[in-house]
Amino acid sequence: MLASRSVTRQLVRNPRRWNHAAAASPPLNSVTEQDVAHFAKFLAPTSILSTIGSTPTPSSELSIYNNDWMGKYYGKATTVLKPKTTEEVSKIVKHCWERRIGIVPQGGNTGLVGGSVPIGNELVLNLGNMSKVRSFDPVSGILVADAGCILQSLTDYVAPHNHIMPLDLGAKGSCQIGGNVATNAGGLRLLRYGSLHGSVIGLEVVLPDGSIMDQLTTLRKDNTGYDLKQLFIGAEGTLGIITGVSILTPSAPQASNNVILALPHFDNVLPLFKQVKKELSEILSAFEFIDRTAYDLAVKHGQGRALNDDEVEGAQCFVLVETSGGKREHDEEKLNDLLENLLTADEPLINTGVLSQNPAQFSSLWALREGVTEAVSKEGKAYKYDISVPLATFKDVVDQTRERLRSKGLLHDDAVMHVMGYGHVGDGNLHLNIVAKAYTPEITDAIEPFIYELVASLKGSVSAEHGIGAMKTHALHYSKSDVSIKLMKQIKQLMDPRGIMNPGKVLEMN
Amino acid sequence: MLASRSVTRQLVRNPRRWNHAAAASPPLNSVTEQDVAHFAKFLAPTSILSTIGSTPTPSSELSIYNNDWMGKYYGKATTVLKPKTTEEVSKIVKHCWERRIGIVPQGGNTGLVGGSVPIGNELVLNLGNMSKVRSFDPVSGILVADAGCILQSLTDYVAPHNHIMPLDLGAKGSCQIGGNVATNAGGLRLLRYGSLHGSVIGLEVVLPDGSIMDQLTTLRKDNTGYDLKQLFIGAEGTLGIITGVSILTPSAPQASNNVILALPHFDNVLPLFKQVKKELSEILSAFEFIDRTAYDLAVKHGQGRALNDDEVEGAQCFVLVETSGGKREHDEEKLNDLLENLLTADEPLINTGVLSQNPAQFSSLWALREGVTEAVSKEGKAYKYDISVPLATFKDVVDQTRERLRSKGLLHDDAVMHVMGYGHVGDGNLHLNIVAKAYTPEITDAIEPFIYELVASLKGSVSAEHGIGAMKTHALHYSKSDVSIKLMKQIKQLMDPRGIMNPGKVLEMN
């Protein structure tokens, strides 16, 4: 992400971009004192934070809504509204529609692409006060919740019923279910439980003109007309504001286990994935890849449980396998059989495998994989790319990027120190990291648009799970054809002709 | 379905309905000899079946394209085109777009709601000649296939790789994958593998103006802009023609097993479902409900393996449970444990359970459930409703319908003989069947719109998996709000402003 900082700066600094978009439709209006007075008619005083109202809020109190958690994006909103009901959201949006005021829908503000903070002085509509569970059916497992419910609190809510949420993210302590759906969040459980396009059953959405689209069904099957809710999953708030979510929660597994495998060659990863899928079948819940560079860095910075020297020797990469199933003995038997088959094969795909023996070791093995992010940030400045490419090309993408930097004379201790890959093999999602001593224009120029073009040549995605937000609008065309982008823009224009919904995000409307 | 025959007739007989729609936009044109000559410039002679070309086809040869398999819907197309490539589809559509000729996209023509045959003399574009597998990746399990591939042939294609298709239908021998996606087909594997909105990875679609939207990705994760492909899943060909499908195929289970359970009361179904989900967890692959009336009828007409008299005694309903898992011994152990726990409970939820001991018994137990359809048709004339309602209301819906008929004096041997319910409890999908001596207007009037209103009052769906087609356009409002229907119509108008794509289906565009 940081790699695109220069582009981001350009977006913020160069007002022509935004004015250019405005040329197509009348410019958006700023929030005025009269607007705030209007909102005060139907919102509780605690639902209004504004620097321009009759009882102004200090602007410092607005900074957590104006800025993202990485400190990369800075908005200039004067007004943040925190409605408590769908009807209040509807009234706010109706007013903004009539007044042509831009709105940024905001959940936990934990995104990575600047999608949930204003580009200029749009109004921030924060869903944090809508945090009630509306219903839960322990038989079907269908949960209906306000958009502002925090993911972790929903996980806690369904736990006593022996259910889990179908997604799990690092940000679970602050991200909200509405934001998860709006950004089509992926996370750690996608391999097992699929994407939100499958697990979201229904949505309640306030459309740009303020009307409420109630599709908050609890039916798993409903083939009556177009499945409109799908449009809002991943639209990052540019087509409407999600106010309620109906979602299918799976039964909780009774047991989890994991193992880390050391592989002599990357070429073994794919046959290994095939064999693991076959032997572990329905209990496989994660298959994560870490290349040697990433592993060494994690160990260097004290992340997780390192293998012994002889276990690591000759390993080009590592794979973390997790199982989640209904009966511990059965799962352990399957996992032990797998390991035995792998180690006793005529031409073994792995050098060695280390099985966790208790919950502490389970966490410690996971930390080797999850700790790469922290290790990278301790080591230097990271250019991070979240891409989807065919599984077979994972190593090639890393190698080509490294070669590119070498050919530009940038692969040495004073420029780029490491190029590495890790991520979700099971999902085809590679995290490509370039660790440098410092962010420099030379490095940026060497890798962009090089990487985007490389991804495009492999028919890959320039954003596997993080979305487009404000950061990657210029890169959308690397993953989507002109025909697709044209249709997206037509749909945006149809549903939000005044351009008030999260302006400047996802699509360059010019 | 048959219950709506009167409405269907009205649609066909009453030309005002269609003319009314035409008032909004210029009427569609018929195919002329010149059009056929144009198509002959780029299509092989075998790809053109037309009663009006220079070498006319006998109209009898067109009847399998004009009529549906139930013999309920009759079109009057003069011309059927069977292109072999996406480019040919694009050229046909471009021409029809310019000439304002209506097109009916047609797959295996196995639908139940008249969606795949013409209402008037639209051109039929049959995908049957596009039946190549484009690629299969045995590692990721992602299959890319032409839209015209038959479901069974795809099942056979992936079987040697130890994979299965994520859906299974009675019509698998003739239905096509493009049609499955266009109608968002449900079927027997939905409980386990989810809906096509989750398992379809990408689509290639020819849009109404003939342009090709290539989103035939093989990436599981791609968060770049709106997920446009979702719009076409379930749109029944009204927004464009699906020409290629990329779909995630799951690993094949190594073992399957089933059991039929006899329950003293319907009230036990839901606690039973909860317990079964908990104990069988990830290996549960079907949980099917059959009420006593449906069971008795299946047995009466020789469907499947009947239980003994003492096993059936006192049973108000039955449940069929299927498991599919990675290891036979493990699965059997889980299933045996479940049965033991059920039978030894202080207050048992079941009277008895019969476990299949071999493949023949496995099929025979399934036949009890699947044979209800045939038994019903042997018993009398069936009014069939495919609805989704909350699980807890299954019995209530059946009882209320029976009471309604009784109150109208229609529940006796010369009118309605049986009212019964069966279906996919796991999916919330109830098949409500009313078996009568004959179809009569009195019965129709007694149950319609009564049933639709009942379903609407329960926030249910009037079409769980069969779609809307030509048959239920008038009933859409029972399951979707005005706001939703308005937006659907706007999207239809945006994408197909000339109204050429499957006219008269899904939406009443007037």
Side-chain angles (χ1 to χ4, degrees):
Chain A
M1 264 67 56
L2 299 170
S4 285
R5 269 201 167 162
S6 57
V7 175
T8 311
R9 280 199 210 101
Q10 202 186 352
L11 258 172
V12 176
R13 285 185 186 167
N14 186 347
R16 267 183 303 167
R17 288 181 81 95
W18 182 236
N19 288 343
H20 194 69
S25 51
L28 295 172
N29 294 311
S30 302
V31 179
T32 65
E33 207 168 327
Q34 288 73 38
D35 294 317
V36 178
H38 174 80
F39 296 133
K41 289 180 195 165
F42 58 87
L43 292 177
T46 52
S47 292
I48 303 175
L49 299 170
S50 179
T51 58
I52 57 172
S54 54
T55 48
T57 311
S59 63
S60 61
E61 285 185 29
L62 265 64
S63 64
I64 58 162
Y65 305 97
N66 262 321
N67 310 331
D68 75 316
W69 67 277
M70 300 176 295
K72 276 176 71 182
Y73 300 91
Y74 300 92
K76 288 174 283 187
T78 60
T79 305
V80 176
L81 302 181
K82 304 182 75 173
K84 292 178 180 171
T85 66
T86 303
E87 287 63 37
E88 288 181 357
V89 175
S90 167
K91 282 182 184 171
I92 294 167
V93 174
K94 206 163 276 174
H95 182 76
C96 291
W97 167 261
E98 281 159 11
R99 283 267 298 120
R100 290 185 186 273
I101 294 169
I103 303 173
V104 178
Q106 188 177 72
N109 197 10
T110 62
L112 292 156
V113 290
S116 55
V117 293
I119 287 181
N121 65 355
E122 303 93 288
L123 180 150
V124 173
L125 194 155
N126 185 290
L127 279 299
N129 274 344
M130 287 184 65
S131 55
K132 288 196 189 71
V133 170
R134 299 195 194 176
S135 68
F136 177 68
D137 177 352
V139 177
S140 67
I142 292 171
L143 172 77
V144 182
D146 283 351
C149 288
I150 288 171
L151 181 57
Q152 182 64 54
S153 71
L154 293 179
T155 302
D156 296 343
Y157 186 92
V158 298
H161 300 283
N162 204 36
H163 278 254
I164 59 171
M165 293 299 285
L167 76 165
D168 187 19
L169 308 175
K172 61 190 158 196
S174 21
C175 67
Q176 297 171 7
I177 190 68
N180 294 152
V181 174
T183 57
N184 188 29
L188 301 173
R189 290 180 184 159
L190 191 128
L191 177 68
R192 178 66 169 270
Y193 300 110
S195 89
L196 290 172
H197 286 287
S199 51
V200 170
I201 300 291
L203 291 179
E204 179 187 78
V205 181
V206 174
L207 299 177
D209 67 357
S211 58
I212 299 169
M213 191 184 82
D214 178 4
Q215 290 204 348
L216 210 50
T217 173
T218 53
L219 308 169
R220 275 199 76 172
K221 285 162 87 170
D222 176 25
N223 265 354
T224 54
Y226 309 153
D227 195 357
L228 296 175
K229 70 169 184 286
Q230 301 288 351
L231 270 180
F232 302 93
I233 302 175
E236 303 182 38
T238 60
L239 297 178
I241 301 177
I242 295 171
T243 50
V245 174
S246 170
I247 191 165
L248 186 67
T249 69
S251 295
Q254 303 296 305
S256 289
N257 218 329
N258 66 3
V259 60
I260 193 153
L261 307 171
L263 284 71
H265 307 291
F266 172 81
D267 292 347
N268 293 7
V269 173
L270 302 198
L272 177 68
F273 184 42
K274 241 176 112 175
Q275 185 172 347
V276 168
K277 279 209 299 181
K278 190 176 171 193
E279 295 203 27
L280 297 182
S281 192
E282 69 278 355
I283 64 167
L284 175 65
S285 56
F287 189 99
E288 297 283 316
F289 167 74
I290 320 165
D291 74 10
R292 181 63 186 257
T293 311
Y295 172 87
D296 286 344
L297 215 58
V299 171
K300 176 178 170 185
H301 292 284
Q303 304 297 318
R305 179 195 177 203
L307 306 185
N308 301 333
D309 284 350
D310 58 330
E311 288 167 339
V312 175
E313 201 189 318
Q316 197 179 68
C317 59
F318 302 83
V319 162
L320 178 81
V321 172
E322 185 194 64
T323 63
S324 305
K327 195 161 172 134
R328 179 169 299 282
E329 311 90 82
H330 289 173
D331 298 356
E332 284 178 356
E333 193 183 320
K334 288 188 179 99
L335 197 49
N336 284 327
D337 287 352
L338 168 70
L339 285 177
E340 197 175 316
N341 291 340
L342 285 171
L343 289 168
T344 60
D346 289 342
E347 295 177 34
L349 294 171
I350 62 168
N351 288 349
T352 185
V354 176
L355 189 66
S356 66
Q357 302 295 335
N358 55 50
Q361 288 183 5
F362 177 86
S363 302
S364 185
L365 287 188
W366 260 116
L368 266 178
R369 157 67 185 87
E370 294 193 293
V372 174
T373 312
E374 195 176 325
V376 160
S377 68
K378 283 182 178 168
E379 181 75 3
K381 303 295 181 189
Y383 294 79
K384 286 166 177 269
Y385 293 86
D386 163 50
I387 58 180
S388 274
V389 287
L391 310 182
T393 66
F394 269 33
K395 180 162 181 291
D396 208 40
V397 167
V398 177
D399 289 348
Q400 281 197 47
T401 304
R402 191 184 288 114
E403 275 317 301
R404 167 81 176 182
L405 287 159
R406 197 195 310 275
S407 74
K408 296 280 177 188
L410 293 166
L411 195 69
H412 53 78
D413 281 356
D414 287 328
V416 170
M417 300 174 288
H418 312 285
V419 179
M420 68 182 78
Y422 59 97
H424 321 290
V425 172
D427 309 336
N429 186 180
L430 177 68
H431 296 302
L432 170 63
N433 280 204
I434 293 145
V435 188
K437 190 124 186 177
Y439 297 120
T440 71
E442 291 74 27
I443 299 174
T444 304
D445 290 347
I447 55 180
E448 270 194 42
F450 174 80
I451 290 172
Y452 289 142
E453 285 168 0
L454 179 59
V455 169
S457 74
L458 296 166
K459 295 193 108 185
S461 171
V462 297
S463 188
E465 59 182 10
H466 294 169
I468 297 294
M471 179 182 142
K472 293 186 186 172
T473 53
H474 70 292
L476 186 58
H477 69 96
Y478 288 109
S479 289
K480 288 288 155 67
S481 68
D482 290 347
V483 172
S484 294
I485 293 175
K486 182 181 158 202
L487 184 51
M488 287 181 202
K489 288 183 176 178
Q490 287 175 326
I491 287 172
K492 168 72 176 175
Q493 181 66 26
L494 170 75
M495 293 176 62
D496 183 20
R498 300 187 177 186
I500 63 166
M501 276 294 160
N502 217 358
K505 314 292 167 58
V506 184
L507 296 168
E508 293 179 331
M509 293 299 287
N510 50 23
Chain B
M1 264 68 52
L2 299 170
S4 286
R5 270 198 168 164
S6 58
V7 175
T8 311
R9 279 199 213 102
Q10 202 184 354
L11 259 171
V12 176
R13 285 185 187 166
N14 187 348
R16 266 181 306 166
R17 285 184 85 95
W18 181 236
N19 287 344
H20 195 69
S25 51
L28 295 172
N29 293 311
S30 303
V31 179
T32 65
E33 208 169 326
Q34 288 73 39
D35 294 317
V36 177
H38 175 80
F39 295 134
K41 289 181 194 164
F42 59 87
L43 292 177
T46 52
S47 290
I48 304 176
L49 299 171
S50 179
T51 58
I52 58 171
S54 54
T55 49
T57 310
S59 64
S60 61
E61 285 186 29
L62 265 64
S63 65
I64 57 164
Y65 305 98
N66 261 322
N67 310 331
D68 75 317
W69 67 278
M70 298 177 295
K72 276 175 71 182
Y73 299 92
Y74 299 92
K76 287 174 283 185
T78 62
T79 305
V80 176
L81 301 181
K82 302 181 75 174
K84 294 177 178 170
T85 65
T86 303
E87 288 65 35
E88 288 181 356
V89 175
S90 167
K91 282 181 183 173
I92 295 167
V93 174
K94 206 164 277 173
H95 181 76
C96 291
W97 166 261
E98 281 159 11
R99 284 266 298 119
R100 289 186 185 273
I101 294 169
I103 302 173
V104 178
Q106 187 176 73
N109 197 10
T110 62
L112 293 156
V113 289
S116 55
V117 293
I119 287 181
N121 64 355
E122 303 92 288
L123 181 149
V124 172
L125 195 155
N126 184 290
L127 279 299
N129 274 342
M130 289 184 64
S131 54
K132 288 195 189 69
V133 169
R134 300 195 193 177
S135 68
F136 178 68
D137 178 352
V139 177
S140 68
I142 292 171
L143 172 76
V144 182
D146 283 351
C149 288
I150 287 171
L151 180 58
Q152 182 64 54
S153 70
L154 294 178
T155 302
D156 295 343
Y157 187 93
V158 299
H161 301 282
N162 205 34
H163 278 252
I164 58 171
M165 294 298 289
L167 76 164
D168 187 18
L169 309 174
K172 60 190 158 197
S174 26
C175 67
Q176 298 171 8
I177 189 69
N180 295 152
V181 174
T183 57
N184 188 30
L188 301 172
R189 292 182 182 155
L190 191 129
L191 177 66
R192 177 66 168 271
Y193 300 111
S195 89
L196 290 171
H197 286 287
S199 50
V200 170
I201 300 290
L203 291 179
E204 179 187 78
V205 181
V206 174
L207 299 177
D209 67 357
S211 58
I212 300 168
M213 191 184 83
D214 179 5
Q215 289 203 350
L216 211 50
T217 175
T218 53
L219 309 168
R220 275 198 77 171
K221 285 162 86 169
D222 176 24
N223 265 354
T224 54
Y226 308 153
D227 194 356
L228 296 176
K229 71 168 185 284
Q230 301 288 352
L231 270 180
F232 302 93
I233 302 176
E236 303 183 36
T238 60
L239 297 178
I241 301 177
I242 295 171
T243 50
V245 174
S246 172
I247 190 165
L248 186 68
T249 69
S251 295
Q254 303 297 304
S256 288
N257 218 328
N258 66 4
V259 61
I260 193 154
L261 307 171
L263 284 72
H265 306 291
F266 172 82
D267 291 349
N268 292 8
V269 173
L270 302 196
L272 178 68
F273 184 44
K274 240 176 114 174
Q275 186 172 347
V276 168
K277 281 209 298 182
K278 189 176 174 194
E279 293 203 28
L280 298 181
S281 191
E282 68 279 355
I283 65 166
L284 176 64
S285 55
F287 190 98
E288 297 284 315
F289 166 74
I290 319 166
D291 73 12
R292 180 62 185 257
T293 312
Y295 173 86
D296 287 342
L297 214 57
V299 172
K300 174 177 172 186
H301 292 285
Q303 305 297 319
R305 179 194 178 201
L307 306 185
N308 301 331
D309 284 352
D310 59 328
E311 287 167 340
V312 175
E313 202 191 318
Q316 196 178 70
C317 58
F318 301 84
V319 161
L320 178 81
V321 172
E322 185 195 62
T323 63
S324 305
K327 198 164 172 128
R328 179 167 299 281
E329 309 89 87
H330 289 172
D331 298 357
E332 284 177 357
E333 192 182 321
K334 288 189 178 100
L335 198 48
N336 284 326
D337 286 353
L338 169 70
L339 285 178
E340 197 176 317
N341 291 340
L342 285 171
L343 290 167
T344 59
D346 289 341
E347 295 178 34
L349 295 170
I350 63 169
N351 287 349
T352 184
V354 176
L355 189 65
S356 65
Q357 301 295 335
N358 54 50
Q361 288 183 5
F362 177 86
S363 303
S364 185
L365 287 189
W366 259 116
L368 267 178
R369 158 65 185 87
E370 294 192 294
V372 175
T373 313
E374 196 177 324
V376 160
S377 67
K378 284 182 177 168
E379 181 77 4
K381 303 296 180 189
Y383 295 78
K384 285 165 178 273
Y385 293 86
D386 164 49
I387 58 179
S388 275
V389 286
L391 310 181
T393 66
F394 269 32
K395 181 164 182 291
D396 208 38
V397 167
V398 178
D399 289 348
Q400 280 197 47
T401 305
R402 191 183 288 114
E403 276 316 301
R404 167 80 177 182
L405 287 159
R406 196 195 309 276
S407 75
K408 296 281 177 184
L410 292 167
L411 195 70
H412 53 78
D413 281 356
D414 288 328
V416 171
M417 300 174 289
H418 312 285
V419 178
M420 68 183 76
Y422 59 98
H424 321 290
V425 171
D427 310 336
N429 186 179
L430 176 68
H431 296 302
L432 170 63
N433 280 204
I434 293 144
V435 188
K437 190 125 184 177
Y439 297 121
T440 70
E442 290 74 26
I443 298 174
T444 305
D445 289 349
I447 55 182
E448 271 194 43
F450 173 80
I451 290 172
Y452 290 142
E453 286 170 358
L454 179 59
V455 169
S457 74
L458 296 165
K459 294 192 109 188
S461 170
V462 296
S463 188
E465 57 182 10
H466 295 169
I468 297 295
M471 180 181 141
K472 293 186 187 173
T473 53
H474 70 292
L476 186 58
H477 69 96
Y478 288 109
S479 290
K480 288 288 154 66
S481 68
D482 290 347
V483 172
S484 294
I485 293 175
K486 181 181 161 203
L487 185 51
M488 287 182 201
K489 288 184 176 178
Q490 286 175 328
I491 286 171
K492 167 73 177 174
Q493 181 66 26
L494 169 75
M495 293 176 63
D496 184 18
R498 300 187 178 186
I500 64 167
M501 276 295 160
N502 217 1
K505 313 294 167 57
V506 183
L507 295 169
E508 294 180 333
M509 293 299 286
N510 51 23

